[in-house]
Amino acid sequence: MRKKQLLVLPKLPKRLAKLEKLAADLWYSWSWDVVRLFIRLDADMWEKCYQNPVFMLSKLPQERLETAAADEAFLSSLDKVYEQYQDYRTRKRWFHFKHGEHESQRIAYFSLEYGLDTGLPVYSGGLGILSGDTLKSASDLGLPMVAIGLLYRYGYFRQFLSADGYQQERYTENDWYHMPVSLVRDQEGRPVRVSITLDNVPVQIQTWKVKVGLVPLYLLDTNIPENASKAREITSVLYGGDKDMRIRQEIVLGVGGIHAMRALNIKPAVVHCNEGHSWFLTLERLRHLIQEHNLSLAEATQYVWSTTIFTTHTPVPAGNEKFDPILARRYLGDLVDQLGMSWDDFLSIGRVNPSDETEHFGMTVAALKSSAFCNGVSKLHGTVSRQMWRHIWPDLPAEEVPIQAITNGVHPASWISHDVKELYESYFGPRFVERPGAPEVWRKVHNIPNVELWRVRNKRRERLIYFARKRMKGQLQQRGATQGEIQKVDMALDPQALTIGFARRFSTYKRGNLIFNDLNRLAEIIGNERYPVQIIIAGKAHPLDTPGKEIIREIIEHTRDPRFHHRIVFLEDYDINVARYMVQGADIWLNNPRRPQEASGTSGMKAALNGVINLSILDGWWDEGYDDTSGFKIGNGEEYENRKIQDHLESEALYNTLERDIVPLFYERSDIDLPEGWLAKMKAAICKTGEEFSAQRMVMDYTNRFYIPAIVAGKKLQADEFALTRKVTTWIDRIGHSWNSISISDIRFPDIGATMQVGEIVELDIDVNLGDLTPDDIRVEIVSGRLDSQEQFINQSPSSAQLNGSYPNDTGVYTYHGKVTCRETGRLGITARIVPHNDNLPHTCRPKLISWW
C-alpha cells in the first residue's frame, strides 16, 4: 500500500521562533536557563515529555503558545537566553587560542552510543555518558570535532521489575520527528544516503544530525523502506541481538561512518575510536587511500596508524569484542580483497598471537595494532591495560607497552544541580561559566560560607527524596498495588537522614549486593534511631546477564525485609534523569567493584562536584582521586585470589567505615547545628574533583597529547602527494629486512667492584654491530633498574646512549657511551638494547623491533 508522507510541525508564533532553535540544540542539556524556559511554559508537560523540548513544543496547546508569545516577561527571558546562546556559538574558545593554526582540521570521534540527555535515548551506560560528556566539552573548548554514531529505533531497554523483583525489559520505539535530531538532506532536499554491502546485499544508510553545541553528531540509520528487513533491523536495538547483529552494527558504524562523512564532504585529519566497536573504519580508510591516492597497502597502513587514536575501556580480557573468523569473512571478505590483503594477514591484525588459528578476531587487539595513540581511562587502568596486552609487544617490558593513560572526566554543567551551580556562580565568579575546567576556579569553594553550602545540600537531598517517592509510587501503580500501599510511600525515606546512593550497571564485578553481606550488621546501621542511615539504589543489568539480574532480585528481596522497609529502596529504569537526582542529592556515593576491574567509574566524579562524598574501593579513578581529606576508602587497594574472602573482608571494611567514620562525622554538629567536619570534606571533594576530573581537562589532554601530534603527523605524511608516507614506509621495510643483522656485541663497564653507593655514577661503553643500517636508523638505550628475586626489573627506566665518533671501527663496530646513576639501594641491573628510530614516527614501537644485549 502506497502512502503520501507529510511531516507536520507545530505552529509556533513568530515571536517564539527562538524557542524552536533552542530546542533543536542539545546545548539546552547543560543550560539551566533554557530548561527553565520550558518549565515556565508547563512544568508537568516537561516531565511527561521526558524533558524533551522538541516533543514538548509539539504537545503544547496552541493557546498556551499564543499566551507565551504575548507574555512580555517570558519573551524578555527568552531573548536574554537566546543572546547567551548566540554568544556561546560565536565566542572564541580555548582551541582557537591554543591551537588556532589547526582549526581547519577535523577530529572524527566514533562511538557506539552517546549519552547526551534523557530526551535522546541512544545510550546504555557509562561508555555512552563518557561519549556525551566528551562532545559537550569539545564544544565548550571549541574543538573542530565531528562525531559519528548509530540511530537506534528502540535504543536501550526500559526496565521494570516483576512482583518477585526480577528485571523485565520493555523496548519503546523512538519517534525521531519529535526529538532533537534532523534528517540530513542535500541541496535538492533529498535525504543524504550512502550504501555499503553486507553479505552481498546492498544496505542503504541515511544520516541524522544532532547539534551538540558547536559539535555536530551524525547518527546512521538503516531503518528505511528501500532496505530488506534484515538490513532495517541493524539499527534497531542498542546491545541487542547476537554476534551476527553486532558485527553488522559495527560495520555500519565504522565503514558506513567513513562513507557518510565523505558524502557530507567532511575530511577528518584524525580519527578517534572510543572502544574497539568502530575499528572497521580502518578498512574503509585504507581502501580509500589505496584506490583514490594510489598508495600501497603498507603505505596506507602507515598513514592510518599515524592518525588514529584508540581508547580502551575494558580491563577484563573476556569483555573485549571478538568475532569468529567465519562470521567476519562473511561480511568483510570482499572489503579485505579490495585491499589486496590475504585473509590470513587480516586475521593476524586481530590476534594477539597471529599464528594461533583458533584465536578469534579481537576488535581491541586490532585497534591497538592500528593506532599510534592508545590509552586507558585512568592511571590504574592504563597499568592494567599494558599488562593485559603486553603480549602484542612481546619484547617490550609491560610498563613500556604503548598504551598511555588519560583519566576520564565529567562535564560539570551537565551534572551539577542548578542550586549548586547558582551557589558556585556567586562565589567563583564569571570564569566558572566561561572556563569551568580551570583549576583555579575551584579553589574558591573554600570561600563559600558553610551555612549556605549546607542549606543547598539539604535542599538537594529533599529533592532526591521527593523524586524517589514519586518514582516508587509509579512503580507500585504499574504492579497494581492498592491505594493504601501507594500512600504509605510518603513515609519512605527521611529528608534529614544520611543518604547513601548506589547506581550503576548491575554486573557481578560491581558487587551491587556487597553491602548486604551481613544483614544483621547492616540492620544495626540502618536502624539506628539517633543516627539514621538510608540507601537509594538504581541500575540495570544487561538483558542477557542472568547473574546481574539475580543481584537485582536479591536486593529487592532485602528491601522487603521489615528492618529495611522504606529505608532501602530501589528505583527502576535508571537513566540520565535518575542519575542526576541521585548524584546531586545523596550524601555518600558508594562504589565497591572488584579491583582492578573498574576502568574508571565517572559517576563518583559527578557526585563529588555536587559535594557528595565518595566511599569506594581504590579502583578506577578513585585510586588516584582519593585522599583522606576528600573522601573515604574501602580497604587499601588489595587484590585477592579468593572472591569469598575478598567479599567478607571488604564488606567488613565497608561497615567499619560507616560506623566509625562516616555516620559520626555526618551527625556531629556545631553550636549552630552545622556538621563542620563533613562540610570541610565536601569542600575538599568539590575542589579536587573540579581541578582534576572535569571532562574539559580530559579533552585538553586528548588534544595536547594525541589530537595535535596526530594532526601534525598527518599533515607531514600527506604533503606532496604522500611523499613522506612513501619514504617512511620504505624505511620501515628496510629496517625490517635488515634487523636480524644487528646486535650488541659487548658492554664494557669500568673496573668497579660489586658494590656502589647511592649517587655514584656507572659509565659504560656499548659495542654495536649495525649491519646494513646506520646510526640514524636506530637508538641505543641503556636500561637500568632494581631487580627482584628472579632477577627481573622492578622499575626499569631507559636512557639514550651517545655515539662515540661518526664511523665504525675497522671491524664495523660502532661504540656508544652512556651513564647510569645509582639512585636507590638494593640490586641494580644494567643492560642495553637497540630500537628503531625515526623522527616521523609517533613512537618507536612501530615497527615492533627491538634487539636486547
Side-chain angles (χ1 to χ4, degrees):
M1 181 173 60
R2 299 176 62 185
K3 303 181 186 72
K4 173 67 175 177
Q5 294 190 23
L6 298 171
L7 179 59
V8 181
L9 301 173
K11 185 179 179 181
L12 261 66
K14 186 176 181 180
R15 192 64 179 84
L16 298 183
K18 295 175 181 176
L19 198 62
E20 195 168 30
K21 292 183 179 180
L22 292 172
D25 192 329
L26 265 293
W27 182 70
Y28 73 75
S29 68
W30 71 96
S31 172
W32 171 244
D33 290 333
V34 177
V35 171
R36 191 153 40 188
L37 287 174
F38 286 95
I39 292 175
R40 282 178 63 175
L41 283 173
D42 192 324
D44 290 337
M45 184 69 75
W46 175 250
E47 293 299 329
K48 288 178 182 177
C49 293
Y50 300 103
Q51 302 178 13
N52 174 355
V54 175
F55 188 30
M56 180 176 172
L57 288 179
S58 72
K59 301 296 288 184
L60 281 172
Q62 193 65 33
E63 57 268 25
R64 183 67 191 95
L65 295 172
E66 298 293 346
T67 300
D71 185 338
E72 292 186 5
F74 180 84
L75 294 176
S76 175
S77 297
L78 173 59
D79 290 341
K80 182 180 178 180
V81 173
Y82 191 75
E83 186 177 333
Q84 294 172 4
Y85 176 61
Q86 291 298 98
D87 176 66
Y88 180 88
R89 296 195 64 82
T90 57
R91 190 167 67 238
K92 298 295 183 184
R93 301 180 175 278
W94 173 82
F95 192 90
H96 170 80
F97 296 110
K98 182 75 172 178
H99 303 291
E101 69 273 23
H102 301 302
E103 281 187 299
S104 63
Q105 306 296 307
R106 286 294 189 100
I107 302 159
Y109 186 90
F110 281 71
S111 183
L112 201 57
E113 54 173 304
Y114 291 89
L116 291 158
D117 199 53
T118 308
L120 188 62
V122 289
Y123 66 94
S124 71
L127 179 70
I129 300 299
L130 184 277
S131 301
D133 280 10
T134 297
L135 301 196
K136 293 173 183 180
S137 297
S139 174
D140 289 342
L141 294 168
L143 267 68
M145 180 177 279
V146 57
I148 302 291
L150 299 183
L151 189 85
Y152 300 100
R153 180 181 175 190
Y154 295 102
Y156 204 49
F157 71 91
R158 306 296 300 272
Q159 178 198 54
F160 67 99
L161 303 181
S162 63
D164 61 357
Y166 203 75
Q167 174 180 289
Q168 306 293 309
E169 295 87 32
R170 180 178 68 249
Y171 290 90
T172 304
E173 186 168 4
N174 291 315
D175 181 1
W176 302 118
Y177 294 97
H178 285 125
M179 291 185 178
V181 300
S182 58
L183 190 61
V184 180
R185 300 180 182 274
D186 60 20
Q187 292 181 341
E188 284 72 40
R190 297 169 301 194
V192 172
R193 292 180 178 176
V194 296
S195 179
I196 64 172
T197 300
L198 291 175
D199 198 17
N200 297 316
V201 176
V203 176
Q204 295 286 317
I205 304 169
Q206 65 184 8
T207 308
W208 299 72
K209 182 178 179 180
V210 181
K211 294 171 68 175
V212 188
L214 303 176
V215 174
L217 165 61
Y218 294 99
L219 299 177
L220 310 179
D221 175 21
T222 64
N223 183 33
I224 50 181
E226 288 80 358
N227 284 332
S229 59
K230 185 175 181 180
R232 296 188 69 166
E233 72 179 8
I234 293 174
T235 55
S236 59
V237 178
L238 173 61
Y239 299 138
D242 54 14
K243 284 288 187 179
D244 184 88
M245 169 69 87
R246 180 65 73 88
I247 196 170
R248 287 184 289 137
Q249 285 186 332
E250 295 184 5
I251 292 171
V252 168
L253 174 65
V255 177
I258 296 296
H259 274 285
M261 282 196 295
R262 206 168 293 139
L264 297 168
N265 199 30
I266 298 170
K267 300 175 181 178
V270 300
V271 170
H272 185 165
C273 298
N274 190 40
E275 260 303 350
H277 307 126
S278 57
W279 178 81
F280 294 130
L281 64 84
T282 303
L283 302 178
E284 179 56 28
R285 292 182 76 198
L286 291 174
R287 188 195 66 78
H288 179 73
L289 288 166
I290 292 169
Q291 297 184 0
E292 301 297 325
H293 297 282
N294 296 315
L295 296 184
S296 69
L297 175 59
E299 291 163 349
T301 299
Q302 177 59 41
Y303 178 82
V304 168
W305 177 82
S306 299
T307 56
T308 301
I309 293 93
F310 169 60
T311 299
T312 176
H313 294 259
T314 311
V316 182
N320 289 268
E321 189 87 82
K322 290 183 178 181
F323 292 112
D324 187 302
I326 296 174
L327 180 65
R329 187 160 198 168
R330 175 181 174 185
Y331 289 110
L332 296 165
D334 288 345
L335 180 52
V336 171
D337 287 343
Q338 292 179 46
L339 302 179
M341 182 188 299
S342 74
W343 186 249
D344 286 342
D345 285 345
F346 168 75
L347 290 179
S348 72
I349 298 172
R351 287 172 170 166
V352 175
N353 182 2
S355 61
D356 183 1
E357 295 184 359
T358 65
E359 185 178 349
H360 282 196
F361 187 92
M363 299 293 279
T364 300
V365 176
L368 288 169
K369 291 181 178 181
S370 306
S371 308
F373 306 92
C374 303
N375 71 285
V377 291
S378 68
K379 290 179 181 178
L380 178 61
H381 181 229
T383 301
V384 171
S385 297
R386 287 189 291 274
Q387 186 68 29
M388 188 164 69
W389 301 113
R390 68 190 186 281
H391 298 299
I392 296 176
W393 296 268
D395 293 325
L396 270 183
E399 56 266 34
E400 293 186 54
V401 166
I403 302 175
Q404 301 183 45
I406 294 181
T407 302
N408 281 344
V410 297
H411 186 247
S414 293
W415 298 103
I416 293 174
S417 73
H418 62 87
D419 299 300
V420 172
K421 179 175 179 285
E422 289 168 1
L423 184 64
Y424 290 171
E425 287 177 347
S426 299
Y427 288 93
F428 292 2
R431 288 174 67 83
F432 172 65
V433 178
E434 297 167 8
R435 292 187 59 201
E440 64 272 15
V441 167
W442 295 95
R443 294 165 196 160
K444 295 181 181 180
V445 71
H446 298 290
N447 298 337
I448 300 176
N450 281 348
V451 65
E452 292 193 44
L453 185 58
W454 189 239
R455 174 182 54 80
V456 171
R457 171 98 308 273
N458 287 330
K459 185 176 182 179
R460 291 313 308 184
R461 189 189 313 106
E462 289 169 3
R463 286 180 181 270
L464 170 59
I465 301 307
Y466 174 78
F467 172 80
R469 289 172 178 171
K470 183 178 179 181
R471 194 88 171 190
M472 291 164 65
K473 288 180 179 179
Q475 294 170 193
L476 288 172
Q477 286 174 341
Q478 284 187 345
R479 295 191 200 121
T482 65
Q483 195 61 34
E485 290 174 314
I486 294 172
Q487 289 177 348
K488 287 180 181 178
V489 171
D490 289 328
M491 304 299 293
L493 304 173
D494 179 355
Q496 303 303 316
L498 171 63
T499 303
I500 299 172
F502 182 94
R504 49 211 339 102
R505 180 168 57 89
F506 275 89
S507 181
T508 51
Y509 82 86
K510 293 179 182 284
R511 296 189 296 178
N513 54 353
L514 183 69
I515 199 168
F516 298 98
N517 212 44
D518 185 335
L519 295 178
N520 291 330
R521 192 162 178 192
L522 178 61
E524 291 178 4
I525 297 171
I526 296 294
N528 189 321
E529 293 184 6
R530 186 178 178 189
Y531 302 132
V533 177
Q534 58 198 9
I535 308 174
I536 300 177
I537 303 171
K540 297 177 178 179
H542 187 280
L544 301 180
D545 185 0
T546 301
K549 291 182 178 182
E550 187 59 33
I551 291 175
I552 294 176
R553 189 205 59 75
E554 178 188 332
I555 291 173
I556 297 302
E557 184 178 321
H558 292 318
T559 64
R560 293 168 180 168
D561 186 320
R563 296 173 294 178
F564 307 133
H565 191 53
H566 285 173
R567 282 289 171 259
I568 301 178
V569 302
F570 188 96
L571 304 184
E572 296 177 19
D573 202 25
Y574 184 52
D575 62 5
I576 287 178
N577 188 40
V578 176
R580 283 196 178 117
Y581 275 99
M582 291 189 67
V583 300
Q584 293 167 4
D587 297 299
I588 285 288
W589 196 254
L590 176 62
N591 186 27
N592 41 235
R594 295 190 192 279
R595 176 186 164 108
Q597 296 184 34
E598 181 87 287
S600 179
T602 56
S603 63
M605 303 174 190
K606 299 161 194 165
L609 288 175
N610 285 281
V612 180
I613 298 173
N614 276 266
L615 167 61
S616 178
I617 296 288
L618 294 176
D619 197 8
W621 83 283
W622 195 236
D623 187 62
E624 63 195 87
Y626 166 78
D627 68 51
D628 58 5
T629 67
S630 61
F632 300 96
K633 63 180 179 177
I634 303 170
N636 294 299
E638 303 92 345
E639 295 175 21
Y640 299 81
E641 292 291 332
N642 188 308
R643 292 187 172 185
K644 191 172 182 179
I645 292 175
Q646 179 181 11
D647 290 349
H648 171 72
L649 293 176
E650 291 183 340
S651 64
E652 288 292 308
L654 169 56
Y655 298 137
N656 289 339
T657 304
L658 283 170
E659 292 170 338
R660 300 171 187 175
D661 300 321
I662 293 175
V663 174
L665 187 66
F666 181 83
Y667 285 106
E668 183 181 348
R669 304 299 164 93
S670 67
D671 293 340
I672 55 173
D673 198 32
L674 290 178
E676 302 286 356
W678 190 270
L679 285 159
K681 230 173 181 63
M682 284 176 60
K683 289 181 176 181
I686 292 166
C687 183
K688 184 176 182 65
T689 308
E691 284 185 359
E692 300 179 20
F693 299 102
S694 73
Q696 283 85 353
R697 185 274 311 153
M698 173 189 70
V699 171
M700 287 191 284
D701 281 352
Y702 276 115
T703 302
N704 294 328
R705 292 168 57 183
F706 287 178
Y707 297 157
I708 296 304
I711 287 171
V712 171
K715 282 183 176 180
K716 290 180 180 178
L717 289 170
Q718 65 178 301
D720 299 324
E721 297 183 350
F722 293 88
L724 184 60
T725 299
R726 301 178 199 276
K727 181 179 178 182
V728 169
T729 305
T730 300
W731 176 85
I732 289 176
D733 184 63
R734 180 169 63 84
I735 288 285
H737 281 93
S738 302
W739 196 257
N740 289 336
S741 66
I742 71 171
S743 65
I744 296 175
S745 57
D746 192 22
I747 298 181
R748 289 176 281 113
F749 293 89
D751 188 14
I752 58 176
T755 61
M756 303 285 288
Q757 291 185 331
V758 172
E760 289 190 301
I761 296 174
V762 179
E763 299 198 28
L764 57 152
D765 291 312
I766 306 164
D767 293 337
V768 176
N769 297 299
L770 293 183
D772 297 332
L773 302 181
T774 71
D776 291 336
D777 294 323
I778 59 95
R779 184 168 64 238
V780 176
E781 295 179 336
I782 302 168
V783 179
S784 61
R786 195 155 54 89
L787 300 177
D788 63 15
S789 61
Q790 303 299 310
E791 299 184 353
Q792 300 297 314
F793 283 115
I794 297 174
N795 56 346
Q796 67 182 44
S797 59
S799 61
S800 294
Q802 304 303 313
L803 178 66
N804 278 347
S806 303
Y807 300 97
N809 61 20
D810 294 339
T811 60
V813 172
Y814 290 89
T815 298
Y816 286 76
H817 182 77
K819 301 177 181 179
V820 174
T821 301
C822 301
R823 301 189 183 279
E824 57 181 326
T825 60
R827 287 200 303 168
L828 175 69
I830 301 174
T831 188
R833 66 190 184 192
I834 307 171
V835 296
H837 174 71
N838 190 310
D839 289 332
N840 297 307
L841 289 174
H843 55 73
T844 58
C845 295
R846 181 181 179 87
K848 294 190 296 182
L849 300 171
I850 188 167
S851 181
W852 290 89
W853 180 38

